[in-house]
Amino acid sequence: MVKEFNLLISAVGGQGGLTLSRVIASAAVKIGLKVRVGETLGMSQRGGAVISFVRMGEDVYSPLIPEGETDVLIGMEPIEALRAAKYVGPKTVAIVNTRPIKPVPVNLGLEEYPPIEKVIELLSKLSGKVINFDAYEIAKHAGSTRVVNSVMLGAIVALKVLPIPRETILETLLENVPKGTEKINEAAFKLGEDKIKED
Amino acid sequence: MSNNSSILGEAGKKTLMMGNEAIARGAIEAGIKVATAYPGTPSTEIVETLAEVAKNLGIHVEWAVNEKVALEIALGAAFSGVRALVAMKAPGLNVAMDALMSATYSGVNGGLVIVVADDPGPHTTQTEQDNRFMSKITLLPMLEPSDPQEAKDIVKEAFKISEKLQLPVIVRTTTRVNHTSADVILGEIEVVKKEPWFYKEPMRYIRASMAWNLTRHKWLNQQMEKAKEIMENLPFNKLEMKGDEKVGVIVSGVPYNYLKEVIKKYVVKKVAVLKISAINPLPEKLIKKLLSKVDKVLVLEELEPYLEFHVKSLISEIGRNIEVLGKFNGITPREGEFSPEVVRSALEKLLNIKLGKRFRDMREKVLEEIKSILPRRAPPMCPGCPHRATYIALKKAIKRLGLKLEEVSVFGDIGCYALSLQPPLEAIWTEHCMGASIGMAAGLYFAGSRQKAVATIGDSTFFHMGIQPLIDAVQHNANITVIVLDNGTIAMTGHQPHPGSGEIATGEKVKPILIEDIAKAIGVKFVKVVDPYDLKETTDVLVEALKFEGVSVVVARRLCAILAVRRKLTGPPCYVDPDTCTGCRTCILQLGCPSLVWEGEKTVIDTDTCTGCGVCIQVCPYNAIKMEKEE
Ligand SMILES: Cc1ncc(C[n+]2csc(CCOP(=O)(O)OP(=O)(O)O)c2C)c(N)n1
Ligand code: SF4
Ligand code: SF4
């Protein structure tokens, strides 16, 4: 029986972070887990920072993850992964897409985008394990830059850290993506898995 | 998060639902006939969910023009004996308040439930208004759930209470209930067969007789006496007490989840817990039961010390010496939302022990460093947002008139266009409440200021509360320019239709009501419609409008870029010719479109997100930006 499992998805609005949280939460309900998903919607489609907390297990009540208690962090963008730092701790497995999306103040020259190495270095100081790769390039190979989220999902599944079987996740993913994009999403999911297996 | 089938799922089924969907399901289970709302985060998905199944259920679901109208429609339905639901965000209740106050004297026949979604944080609301106090002003029953399952069940129960007492019932939620998803067990859908009929009863429904008003005030207070009994026995209040505890916690709403989790995780024993869902009237007997045993009590509630006030007065009634931990002694904050950490440290103070390990210094240092290098990511206006173009044109018009930007006050309003507060636009000077821009601009003119006054207001905001101030401005001949940013939708809250959209909540097409027709009918002498993507034309018209003496109205009409993408109305993306781009960065510095990416020496357009609006083409001094040819 799962007592407490905390997954955090940190993304830029429009990257499909909310789809990911829905897929994982629905899959968890399918196998009978108690679920709490905490997110603040409203700006999600507009390129702001979006954090979703997906929590599963008997002892879970709060929609927010206690600081430092994340089991898995899916960082869809480097600095967004870093923005979730206070929730990350020694037990965290973090998986980070290294492809940056520059916020407007950075393009304006008002703020600086930190080097990716620095982002990973800082995250590694807090997180038990950090895995990073360019999921955007992999999504391109799958046929669309819009399926970065499915690549990330495949990678997490390949790490075998989720308390949900692979088949349930994949099936739920395909139920939740727009009609007609199932093939591309499945390909992206599998390329994400391969990425972890080959490393 | 659900689709049609899950919201109408069979009783007993466990379904993943967002709090707002659970509220919608609760209303469906209660057999509602009418549901209305004006959208507002975090309440929007309630009526959005109901609208999707309105036809299946044969019920009326609509986006009303504002919250007051939404409430009045629901009231009219409830007068006739059917059940009705109305939903709004926290400040929406201020707009609806006038209608609500009179409804307390008339009462209702069919159940009327008003869902008000407060926003501790705040995440998306102009203030952290704590609407629990509104129950004291209206004297109405109020309930508060702590999670999605309770939200569904409490809404269903609220309809029964409303009919028992013949009073509207307010269900107050907070963002972390509305937007939390959880596994929810569905209940039976009641089949309510009632022939709606409005019976004439002047004393109830007419507020023109002062004698009647006095009678109804007494009636209201009598009903609220009866409410005490109901609230005392409400199954959603939970007292967990063995009787030998020396300390206790009184908690309501979302913090109850944090508390339960902390208690379980750190195996906390010997703490009595009273969770309260009856906000008005409070279950005083239940509270006294706890207070009669403990010597120290922690009150856990977000925002204002609503419970704490009452707990203190009950303590003085029972005459025991009990220490109260809460807002007044700074144990919990009055601003912002709670977290598991806030609750844990409050509980530590109650128990005088440490719960769990604390983070080491190293961690704090790393977090500090991260904070110092992390760029902000406030939501920008989208690539291709027409509002961006309108504000650029306004700036150009001001400059062309030889004026400085400080010499033209640009009053703002609520909606996506308020994102123009960010660099590089930094356009609006105010963002206050729905529709305020026009009245404020007129006020500046009437004050005799030499500054020019411009009001910029969204289309839905104009319909919500912008028409009356425009009438006022015309009547008193204010010298102001009103720019209505007409993107055909209520964009900020997720693209609901408004009277100008030509569509209603359930998807049927209707004849759009045009803003320019309204302006002309009011008597505005200068009314023009422009396409903001055409910067030159828009600038020319704005120059004319600013020169015009009297009220001028410019409607900047262009579909919201998100909708344009969804409806596949956009062209191919633009691109920067690297040989022509001099690296002057003018495009980025003027527009700040997120698709214009600075790559160190030149601008590059992100073709994944560019909508091909072509506005950057018009600001590039070297013609380096080109539109891809459509194949
Ligand atoms: C009284 C009140 N009701 C609702 C809201 C929520 N709200 C904020 S912006 C907005 C939409 C405004 O739409 P529109 O004027 O068309 O501008 P757009 O977002 O489309 O640019 C709404 C409904 C609010 N802030 N206050
Ligand atoms: S949602 Fe529409 S109106 Fe809002 S910022 Fe995006 S494009 Fe502009
Ligand atoms: S055309 Fe230019 S301004 Fe318009 S979306 Fe593309 S990059 Fe942005």
Side-chain angles (χ1 to χ4, degrees), chain B residues 20-216:
Chain B
N20 281 339
E21 291 168 333
I23 289 169
R25 169 71 189 201
I28 292 170
E29 288 178 9
I32 54 157
K33 270 312 261 188
V34 171
T36 64
Y38 180 71
T41 318
S43 71
T44 311
E45 297 84 0
I46 300 170
V47 153
E48 214 158 50
T49 305
L50 290 169
E52 280 168 27
V53 292
K55 281 183 202 150
N56 301 16
L57 294 169
I59 62 176
H60 176 84
V61 180
E62 71 158 64
W63 293 119
V65 75
N66 65 32
E67 291 86 352
K68 178 171 181 284
V69 175
L71 175 58
E72 287 155 353
I73 291 169
L75 258 176
F79 283 169
S80 81
V82 302
R83 290 181 170 179
L85 175 124
V86 53
M88 58 197 67
K89 74 186 271 146
L93 190 57
N94 306 338
V95 177
M97 205 56 187
D98 202 12
L100 186 57
M101 286 310 292
S102 288
T104 63
Y105 285 13
S106 63
V108 292
N109 299 307
L112 174 63
V113 173
I114 302 161
V115 181
V116 181
D118 285 3
D119 186 24
H123 297 281
T124 51
T125 309
Q126 45 267 54
T127 71
E128 287 192 298
Q129 174 171 331
D130 187 337
N131 275 311
R132 291 178 301 170
F133 289 97
M134 288 301 205
S135 69
K136 294 293 175 198
I137 294 174
T138 56
L139 307 177
L140 287 177
M142 181 183 278
L143 303 170
E144 177 173 28
S146 62
D147 63 25
Q149 178 77 53
E150 272 194 358
K152 178 186 84 59
D153 297 340
I154 277 181
V155 163
K156 195 174 183 183
E157 185 67 25
F159 279 102
K160 290 187 193 139
I161 297 174
S162 171
E163 284 175 4
K164 236 180 252 168
L165 296 170
Q166 283 194 319
L167 284 174
V169 172
I170 305 173
V171 174
R172 183 251 190 183
T173 58
T174 55
T175 306
R176 295 286 177 195
V177 168
N178 297 94
H179 281 171
T180 288
S181 295
D183 40 315
V184 171
I185 299 172
L186 306 182
E188 293 289 344
I189 297 180
E190 276 179 44
V191 184
V192 186
K193 282 218 175 75
K194 216 171 213 174
E195 186 62 36
W197 195 265
F198 182 37
Y199 296 94
K200 189 172 177 186
E201 273 182 273
M203 188 163 90
R204 276 184 71 183
Y205 301 111
I206 296 175
R207 296 275 69 79
S209 154
M210 298 309 119
W212 292 351
N213 293 351
L214 186 65
T215 312
R216 292 307 286 182

